[in-house]
Amino acid sequence: MDIAVVRDDMVDGIEQRASLDETVSQAMRTVPRHEFVEDRPYDNRPSEFEGTRVLAPGLAARLVSALSVDSEHAVLVVGVGVGYTAAVLAELVGDRQVHAVDIARPLVYEARRNLDRAGYGGVLVDCRDGADGLPEYAPYDRILVEAGAVSPPRRLLRQLATDGRLVMPLGGGGREQTLVAVADDGDEGEVVAEFGGVRFRPLLVDGEQHGARRNRTDREDAEFARQGYFAPTGWEQEWIDWDEHL
């Protein structure tokens, strides 16, 4: 089986339903999705991995198209998952121009491995609360949030470059949301474009990720965790205050 032909068939099927920018189409025809998804990687369908939803290729194409990146842009991906969308963006702007975060450490490790195998090892992937972004490398020309929220996280908006845009699903988790592009207006953000309905899981904060006890914080230092130096249940913390994260 010629993988390149199968990839072309996948993108051709997506383009039958919606027009794709030529650069996005070419990037998706280049990125080896089988390095990110093992089971039927070139089917246009979502899947599950480690408690997270792996986006269908068609939805990933919608997100990347909404970002409207060019080759000079620096990009942040919030909710990297298995790393496929970050790889498509790396194909468009160069891997060292793409940064990504995820709240789940197993996904961070998985995304790093997948990206390295696929030839995009320069993408920086870190374990962070997505609403905090990655301020050390800001500003970003484009920020993509692969999770829903009722309003754009303010800390992410402040990490946008002048004339930058943040793309995310806006609306409550579990219900119909709207994929929007948002500009930083110094306040709550201004919606500058809409791209139709979507349905994403909500943006999580520490204590809500898969495999963690609610209202607990796991020690981030993996080396000490393996040694068993710290208590396995972590430390008590106050109930999550969403206002501090959005």
Side-chain angles (χ1 to χ4, degrees):
M1 178 177 62
D2 189 334
I3 294 296
V5 172
V6 177
R7 250 192 329 264
D8 283 342
D9 289 344
M10 176 191 76
V11 179
D12 289 343
I14 293 170
E15 290 183 325
Q16 288 176 5
R17 298 186 177 187
S19 61
L20 283 183
D21 182 86
E22 179 59 33
T23 59
V24 176
S25 174
Q26 186 57 47
M28 295 187 69
R29 294 177 191 274
T30 303
V31 175
R33 195 167 189 268
H34 59 273
E35 298 291 4
F36 301 87
V37 179
E38 291 185 1
D39 182 31
R40 297 161 60 189
Y42 295 105
D43 287 1
N44 190 19
R45 65 183 183 91
S47 57
E48 294 282 330
F49 180 84
E50 292 287 342
T52 194
R53 186 186 185 199
V54 180
L55 302 183
L59 183 51
R62 285 182 65 190
L63 298 180
V64 174
S65 297
L67 274 180
S68 187
V69 300
D70 69 36
S71 59
E72 303 299 319
H73 282 160
V75 182
L76 174 66
V77 179
V78 174
V80 70
V82 298
Y84 175 71
T85 309
V88 175
L89 288 164
E91 187 64 35
L92 290 167
V93 304
D95 57 355
R96 295 190 179 276
Q97 289 288 94
V98 179
H99 302 72
V101 296
D102 205 288
I103 197 169
R105 186 172 291 280
L107 290 176
V108 169
Y109 291 154
E110 180 71 13
R112 288 173 180 171
R113 285 192 295 267
N114 295 344
L115 287 160
D116 190 54
R117 283 199 306 264
Y120 306 101
V123 176
L124 187 150
V125 185
D126 203 1
C127 187
R128 299 290 181 96
D129 183 327
D132 292 337
L134 197 62
E136 296 92 329
Y137 297 92
Y140 304 101
D141 300 289
R142 298 291 186 265
I143 298 177
L144 173 62
V145 182
E146 294 192 27
V150 294
S151 61
R154 294 187 186 93
R155 284 189 286 276
L156 289 182
L157 289 173
R158 304 304 176 259
Q159 291 172 38
L160 281 173
T162 303
D163 297 327
R165 69 161 50 181
L166 180 151
V167 169
M168 67 174 298
L170 210 58
R175 297 189 298 274
E176 185 80 357
Q177 302 152 337
T178 303
L179 185 65
V180 300
V182 182
D184 181 18
D185 62 356
D187 190 22
E188 301 290 330
E190 177 188 0
V191 175
V192 294
E194 296 187 1
F195 304 96
V198 289
R199 182 170 293 180
F200 278 73
R201 291 175 181 172
L203 185 66
L204 301 180
V205 299
D206 207 1
E208 292 186 327
Q209 60 266 48
H210 177 70
R213 296 190 181 191
R214 182 170 176 80
N215 208 30
R216 297 270 188 174
T217 302
D218 290 334
R219 184 71 180 183
E220 284 292 320
D221 193 320
E223 179 182 356
F224 283 142
R226 286 196 299 271
Q227 293 174 353
Y229 184 80
F230 295 100
T233 54
W235 295 270
E236 294 287 355
Q237 64 178 14
E238 296 298 323
W239 285 105
I240 291 165
D241 184 350
W242 273 97
D243 289 338
E244 293 182 359
H245 292 273
L246 296 176

